[in-house]
Amino acid sequence: MFNLMLRPLKYLGVALLLTVVSTLAYAQQEIKIGVIYPLTGAAASTGAELKNALELAADVINNGAKGVSGLPFAGGGGLSGLKGAKIKLIFADHQGNPQVGATEAERLITQEKVVALVGCYFSNVTATASQVAERYKVPFLNPESSSATLTQRGFKWFFRTTAHDDLFVHNFFAFFKDLEAKRKIRVSRVALFNENTLWGNETTKLETKLTSESGISVTKAITYPAKSTQLTSEVQTLKAGNPQVVMQSSYLGDAILAMKTYKELGFSPDMILANNAGFTDTEFIKTIGKDADFVITREVWALDLANRNPLIKQVNDLYSARYKMNFTGNSSRTFTGLMVLADAINRAASTEPEAIRKALSETNIPGNQLIMPWKGVKFDETGQNTLSSGILVQIIDGKYTTVWPFDLASHEVVWPMPKWDQRK
Amino acid sequence: MTSEIFLQTLGSGVLIGLIYALVAIGLTMIFGVMDIVNFSHGEFLMLGMYSTFWMYSLYALDPIYSLPITAVALFVLGVGLYQVVIKRIIDAPMLSQIFTTFGLMIFFRGLAQYLWKPDFRTIEKSLVSGQTSLLGIQLGTPQIVAGFGAIVITGALYLFLTRTRMGAALEATAADKEAAQLMGIDSQRMFALAWGVGAACAGLAGALLSTFFPIFPEVGASFILIAFVVVNLGGFGSVTGAFIAGVLIGVVEVMGGYLLGPQFKLAIVLLIFLAVLMFRPQGLMGRA
């Protein structure tokens, strides 16, 4: 009798207990994400910057962000799909070494039991670390490595949010098209002027292909050693070809030397269209001063984009209030990477790797929820975000100013650049 | 090739060649006098550039006015380096000598990175900034002044070696160390002098370069390879040879690069170097 009365109570108690335990478990659930970056070594300062961006992103995802309503997760309360679970970042240092990157990836997966990996800034480290992730079937999200080959490996578990080097080169030709459509400026003769390591040679190859596809003639294609003591013969050759536009890929030292030689030999093409690197180094404008003006270079991000997208200003304010610095092309992309991963985990409503991978592949985030100048985030079967792109900035009065895409521009393109003897 | 382009490439080639010559002369002197290959020679050039840069940015002293100061500073450094380091390895095996000067190279680069950061710097405005039109071609004034400076310095060095007692003593030591010593020439002093003068030459080349070339800790690496080729081509130890070879290499590099394609410019230089090694291994002016 006693037993009979007690039995339902017992069941009720057990059921209650289970509910409490399970809610507790959910409330405290932490989603561990492994992040691998160069926290020491030559790129340590960039690593520190990226770590800041990731910590800000994690804080926004976990605790929300007041006054930034356009940003996903800004309402606070963690991942709603997982009953408010919080993200926990486990940092690892790859020191710029591909071997260390792979070892750390393995440690994070097998010992820390992370559900996904983010990293690694250097393309060569991303390559090895993502190989480990592929082997263990753990999703790997890469926000900022630009080597095109990373998404040509047929990996199932690799996703990249940024555009890669090849897409950036495509941007140049999209720019030429827009220039003709909107400004009636037709670019028909270009010279290719690239340094001769892998990057410059790959760029030359792609540019050669794209010029012939768009009916642009190449007056000269020159590759040169970046450690040259003089670029006179190169510039003389460029000048003899009389191109409208010089498409140039250079590191810092040779970019400076080239600009000086252009001026010395009075070589004034309509435009110098530079492929980032040396031309966007913080030292470039500082070093050659006014002579840097009017050069157009490819970029991934610029602060003046905030003029067109209030979200960029709001999130940058959060960042600069915290770290006393502005976002850069690197930190903004890394921030975006973690936001995209969190979105996928949230939709997956699971910490199962396969569910997260599936959710990632179904990602569809519109551009207005991003702090990047992209049309959105949507991965193709190689894991590449097909909606990402670069921007073009022109140096105007010593500042990088967004001039393309035209709808994001804060200044109209100055074209052609004034000849050297007509400059103030 | 029009005559304008011909003159232009010739002019540019001669001017950069004169700088190569000045760098190589310091190198060939040290080798000629004591048979030591100085791998840290490019770093003397780098230090000369920084010396000029700091006097310009801290004391607003124009690169042209700071030339003598740089020369003296590098001379003192060269002599000091000899007394403290090189003296100890004169009779050491060649491998030790190579490692010593190679180590100095790494040391100076590291020091420059530590003290002055790996940033690129340039001298924006100097007395010689601007362009000069000459015979219908455009040349940078800094390059012209640098080339002219290189001629003057080489000329002075030539006179020193051929017209003064000390210069003659230096040449004698280079020719035969033991015999010179028997004649009462203090070879230690001559070695120190060779290091001082060698370093000063590279420093002066750096100072002249700094008016038109970016300044950074690894800048020496770009010039040292060419300097070795010039020294070889001119004949180890020959100052006149290095001068002629320097100009020759400069012209061949610029003009060959223009004619055959810039990607071949270094290949052409090294091809000539190979040909010299095969047909005239002692170099153009070297002692057989």
Side-chain angles (χ1 to χ4, degrees), chain A residues 285-321:
Chain A
I285 295 179
K286 234 182 358 188
T287 312
I288 62 168
K290 284 185 87 60
D291 288 346
D293 270 0
F294 308 109
V295 167
I296 294 182
T297 171
R298 185 269 286 176
E299 247 303 0
V300 288
W301 193 85
L303 192 55
D304 72 355
L305 289 168
N307 300 341
R308 293 301 181 96
N309 181 350
L311 193 62
I312 293 179
K313 184 176 177 344
Q314 291 160 358
V315 178
N316 187 62
D317 285 349
L318 284 182
Y319 186 77
S320 67

Side-chain angles (χ1 to χ4, degrees), chain B residues 29 36 45 66 83 119 125 146 175 215-216 246:
Chain B
M29 242 184 95
I36 285 184
L45 173 117
S66 63
Q83 299 291 4
D119 293 354
K125 260 203 158 29
I215 302 158
F216 52 100

Side-chain angles (χ1 to χ4, degrees), chain A residues 248-293:
Chain A
Q248 184 170 354
S249 306
S250 300
Y251 295 111
L252 182 58
D254 37 325
I256 294 170
L257 190 60
M259 291 303 291
K260 286 185 170 251
T261 313
Y262 292 154
K263 190 179 177 188
E264 186 205 335
L265 298 179
F267 174 52
S268 298
D270 284 357
M271 191 50 66
I272 294 160
L273 197 53
N275 193 6
N276 202 274
F279 288 90
T280 50
D281 193 292
T282 44
E283 298 290 318
F284 180 70
I285 295 179
K286 234 182 358 188
T287 312
I288 62 168
K290 284 185 87 60
D291 288 346
D293 270 0

Side-chain angles (χ1 to χ4, degrees), chain A residues 130-405:
Chain A
S130 59
Q131 230 157 31
V132 174
E134 187 78 11
R135 198 165 70 231
Y136 282 97
K137 299 193 186 334
V138 169
F140 190 106
L141 191 129
N142 166 244
E144 70 293 271
S145 301
S146 69
S147 166
T149 53
L150 287 172
T151 40
Q152 294 164 358
R153 298 176 296 174
F155 280 15
K156 258 185 78 185
W157 299 83
F158 185 75
F159 296 87
R160 166 160 61 187
T161 42
T162 184
H164 54 69
D165 289 339
D166 287 5
L167 290 171
F168 288 134
V169 173
H170 278 90
N171 287 164
F172 290 136
F173 291 86
F175 168 64
F176 289 155
K177 256 196 193 137
D178 283 2
L179 210 54
E180 188 170 4
K182 307 254 167 63
R183 293 277 306 273
K184 309 278 171 260
I185 297 164
R186 166 133 179 82
V187 174
S188 54
R189 292 187 333 276
V190 302
L192 311 180
F193 189 33
N194 300 316
E195 60 81 48
N196 70 1
T197 65
L198 185 66
W199 171 57
N201 278 319
E202 290 295 312
T203 307
T204 305
K205 246 192 258 165
L206 187 60
E207 283 174 351
T208 310
K209 180 170 156 263
L210 292 176
T211 41
S212 73
E213 279 172 18
S214 32
I216 297 172
S217 65
V218 176
T219 60
K220 276 275 155 44
I222 300 176
T223 56
Y224 68 93
K227 277 209 164 103
S228 283
T229 53
Q230 49 88 9
L231 291 172
T232 310
S233 37
E234 283 83 352
V235 176
Q236 198 68 254
T237 310
L238 285 176
K239 198 179 167 188
N242 191 27
Q244 273 174 295
V245 176
V246 174
M247 301 180 76
Q248 184 170 354
S249 306
S250 300
Y251 295 111
L252 182 58
D254 37 325
I256 294 170
L257 190 60
M259 291 303 291
K260 286 185 170 251
T261 313
Y262 292 154
K263 190 179 177 188
E264 186 205 335
L265 298 179
F267 174 52
S268 298
D270 284 357
M271 191 50 66
I272 294 160
L273 197 53
N275 193 6
N276 202 274
F279 288 90
T280 50
D281 193 292
T282 44
E283 298 290 318
F284 180 70
I285 295 179
K286 234 182 358 188
T287 312
I288 62 168
K290 284 185 87 60
D291 288 346
D293 270 0
F294 308 109
V295 167
I296 294 182
T297 171
R298 185 269 286 176
E299 247 303 0
V300 288
W301 193 85
L303 192 55
D304 72 355
L305 289 168
N307 300 341
R308 293 301 181 96
N309 181 350
L311 193 62
I312 293 179
K313 184 176 177 344
Q314 291 160 358
V315 178
N316 187 62
D317 285 349
L318 284 182
Y319 186 77
S320 67
R322 216 186 258 219
Y323 304 112
K324 310 284 171 260
M325 57 166 113
N326 288 318
F327 267 123
T328 62
N330 288 324
S331 49
S332 59
R333 284 187 292 175
T334 306
F335 176 91
T336 305
L338 188 60
M339 298 300 282
V340 170
L341 180 60
D343 166 76
I345 296 175
N346 195 31
R347 276 184 294 107
S350 159
T351 53
E352 281 305 310
E354 174 57 31
I356 298 175
R357 193 197 65 78
K358 191 160 170 294
L360 270 171
S361 67
E362 289 162 357
T363 297
N364 189 2
I365 303 175
N368 61 13
Q369 293 182 11
L370 300 172
I371 61 165
M372 302 305 298
W374 303 343
K375 295 196 180 65
V377 180
K378 205 173 190 177
F379 297 105
D380 62 13
E381 69 282 1
T382 67
Q384 174 62 41
N385 176 14
T386 52
L387 301 179
S388 62
S389 58
I391 56 172
L392 297 180
V393 293
Q394 185 164 31
I395 302 173
I396 293 171
D397 292 327
K399 283 203 182 67
Y400 294 106
T401 315
T402 307
V403 292
W404 186 89

Side-chain angles (χ1 to χ4, degrees), chain A residues 65-85:
Chain A
K66 280 201 186 72
V68 197
S69 52
L71 196 68
F73 302 109
L79 301 175
S80 56
L82 283 161
K83 303 215 165 68

